[in-house]
Amino acid sequence: MNIKNKVLFKTALLSISLVLTSASAISAVIPMMLNQLSGVSSSLIESVVTIPSFSMMLFVLLSGPISSRLGKKNTVLLGLLLVVIGGILPMLTTNITWILALRLVLGAGLGIFNSLAVSLISDFFEGDERAQLVGFQSAVQGLGSSLATFVAGQLALIDWPFAFLCYAITIPIALLFFLIIPEPEREEPTVSTTGTGHRSGGISLPVLGLGAALFLFMTFIMIVYTKTGIMIVEKSMPNAGFLGTALTLFSLSTMIAGFLFGRIYKWFRNYAPFISSLLTATGFVLLWFAQNVTMVTVAMLIIGFSFALFIPYIFTILTKIVPQGSETISISIAMVGSNLGAFASPYVIKLVGVLSGNETASFSFLVSAIVFTIAALLCLEIAIRGKGSKTQAAVHS
């Protein structure tokens, strides 16, 4: 496709990713809601942050059928409209039922175009340029999440309902996308019969495998968020208040890695997941050994950087190996695996701790280090044996 202004086109295409991970942006208002909404249980108020994930996972799966009927561009615009409605309108009510209902609408909107944010890149770009943009897409998500959280926190200083205005950024994003991005050409799924009698269209075993990989990856990466603070308390580290800054630096490292992903992918190709898993294992070993917040911060920087290398690699490969016309549903399956892994993480780690007889945060970091070391060895073996030869050929095409 001939794109006259690539910079503007890429900006419009990537801009929709600014809001994809913004569901938790209003986390800072939960204590304020607890103080002001008397008679409402704390668990119900806390679900204001978590409830969008339920409708998000559902509509990630429905994204394919919806986009088949409406077209990809209209589906994205519908999702952005739902984000505006479900994101901003809670500021107009203090009724917890209405707030939760609108947050479900927000999750539905994010879910509808979640996979399209990646598949649209593969519709308009190829090769290394596509890989670079997938990396940028991951970085833009991190940037959007950080900005939304910061803006919501500043608005909450006025009054907690104003925090929901952070989703107003969706309005100019929708306008830019509407004016710049065309509807991509539709391609019918390639359905053919191989010599073994299997059809080449639809969801393939490699897609399910990548979804499972994302499930495991997110299950063990999420303990950075859930266990680091607990570990600092367990070890009575000084300057514990620096954890907030460390988490900000963690997000910054993911953004940097996202922007560098295209170049790193071009250098290492199918060895990228090995490098990512090895770096992640190293970061968790450092967290396990950490005795001060400085060491914790260094470990989190390493994990954040490697985290942002693995995810875009998976989605870059996914867009290469799936049959034509199956990109959206395949990416949706992978995203469901990722979301389920993040959701299941506390329960999986709890189970591991109970079975091992050690439920300390430090031990959970050791378990993650072992898991990612095993993953690194498996990724290295796959790269050496050339099991991804089909993907490698596609990458160089």
Side-chain angles (χ1 to χ4, degrees):
M1 178 180 179
N2 184 23
I3 302 172
K4 293 182 178 180
N5 190 331
K6 275 197 172 184
V7 174
L8 182 60
F9 189 92
K10 291 177 181 179
T11 300
L13 193 59
L14 293 172
S15 67
I16 62 175
S17 296
L18 282 170
V19 296
L20 281 182
T21 55
S22 62
S24 61
I26 47 83
S27 299
V29 307
I30 297 304
M32 304 175 194
M33 295 178 69
L34 284 169
N35 289 332
Q36 295 190 24
L37 301 183
S38 58
V40 181
S41 67
S42 60
S43 60
L44 199 59
I45 291 179
E46 289 168 4
S47 67
V48 169
V49 175
T50 61
I51 202 169
S53 63
F54 290 98
S55 53
M56 191 184 305
M57 283 193 289
L58 174 62
F59 278 86
V60 159
L61 292 174
L62 293 176
S63 175
I66 292 174
S67 64
S68 295
R69 290 178 176 272
L70 300 182
K72 290 186 177 182
K73 178 175 182 177
N74 288 335
T75 301
V76 172
L77 291 172
L78 173 62
L80 292 172
L81 175 62
L82 292 177
V83 171
V84 171
I85 294 172
I88 299 176
L89 291 188
M91 71 171 292
L92 302 179
T93 180
T94 57
N95 184 296
I96 191 64
T97 301
W98 275 107
I99 292 175
L100 291 174
L102 288 167
R103 294 290 287 175
L104 284 171
V105 173
L106 171 71
L110 294 173
I112 282 179
F113 72 91
N114 205 311
S115 58
L116 294 178
V118 178
S119 68
L120 279 169
I121 293 174
S122 66
D123 287 331
F124 295 112
F125 298 94
E126 298 178 346
D128 291 336
E129 191 172 24
R130 173 190 293 178
Q132 182 185 54
L133 285 177
V134 172
F136 284 2
Q137 191 269 338
S138 178
V140 169
Q141 285 189 69
L143 176 63
S145 177
S146 300
L147 287 176
T149 302
F150 174 77
V151 171
Q154 296 303 305
L155 291 171
L157 296 177
I158 303 173
D159 197 5
W160 68 261
F162 285 92
F164 293 99
L165 270 176
C166 70
Y167 295 102
I169 185 62
T170 311
I171 297 174
I173 288 173
L175 182 61
L176 182 64
F177 185 86
F178 172 74
L179 294 175
I180 302 299
I181 307 299
E183 174 67 26
E185 296 180 4
R186 295 199 180 198
E187 295 181 355
E188 296 298 324
T190 302
V191 181
S192 61
T193 303
T194 66
T196 58
H198 295 290
R199 292 157 70 89
S200 62
I203 302 301
S204 63
L205 188 60
V207 170
L208 296 177
L210 291 175
L214 285 172
F215 174 85
L216 289 173
F217 186 86
M218 292 304 298
T219 295
F220 289 95
I221 206 74
M222 286 300 293
I223 68 169
V224 173
Y225 298 98
T226 59
K227 295 294 188 180
T228 304
I230 297 174
M231 182 201 67
I232 289 176
V233 173
E234 287 177 351
K235 295 186 176 182
S236 301
M237 293 183 184
N239 301 319
F242 192 75
L243 177 61
T245 303
L247 287 168
T248 301
L249 293 174
F250 176 85
S251 298
L252 179 62
S253 67
T254 64
M255 286 187 287
I256 293 173
F259 283 118
L260 294 176
F261 172 74
R263 181 172 297 178
I264 294 172
Y265 177 64
K266 186 176 181 179
W267 287 343
F268 297 104
R269 301 295 181 182
N270 287 336
Y271 286 91
F274 162 69
I275 294 171
S276 173
S277 299
L278 187 62
L279 283 173
T280 305
T282 302
F284 277 116
V285 169
L286 289 176
L287 276 180
W288 178 43
F289 277 118
Q291 297 299 322
N292 54 67
V293 179
T294 300
M295 195 170 180
V296 169
T297 303
V298 172
M300 292 177 69
L301 286 170
I302 294 173
I303 295 171
F305 188 87
S306 57
F307 166 77
L309 294 180
F310 187 86
I311 299 297
Y313 176 85
I314 292 294
F315 286 111
T316 297
I317 296 306
L318 197 63
T319 60
K320 288 293 187 179
I321 66 175
V322 299
Q324 290 183 349
S326 298
E327 294 92 347
T328 299
I329 185 61
S330 297
I331 292 172
S332 296
I333 293 295
M335 286 185 170
V336 167
S338 176
N339 289 329
L340 282 177
F343 177 76
S345 178
Y347 308 103
V348 173
I349 300 302
K350 174 72 173 179
L351 178 61
V352 172
V354 170
L355 292 177
S356 64
N358 190 336
E359 297 184 50
T360 64
S362 295
F363 180 73
S364 67
F365 294 139
L366 175 61
V367 171
S368 290
I370 293 172
V371 168
F372 282 104
T373 299
I374 295 172
L377 294 175
L378 290 174
C379 291
L380 178 61
E381 181 183 4
I382 291 172
I384 291 175
R385 290 190 177 186
K387 290 183 178 179
S389 57
K390 178 180 177 182
T391 300
Q392 187 71 36
V395 168
H396 286 292
S397 63

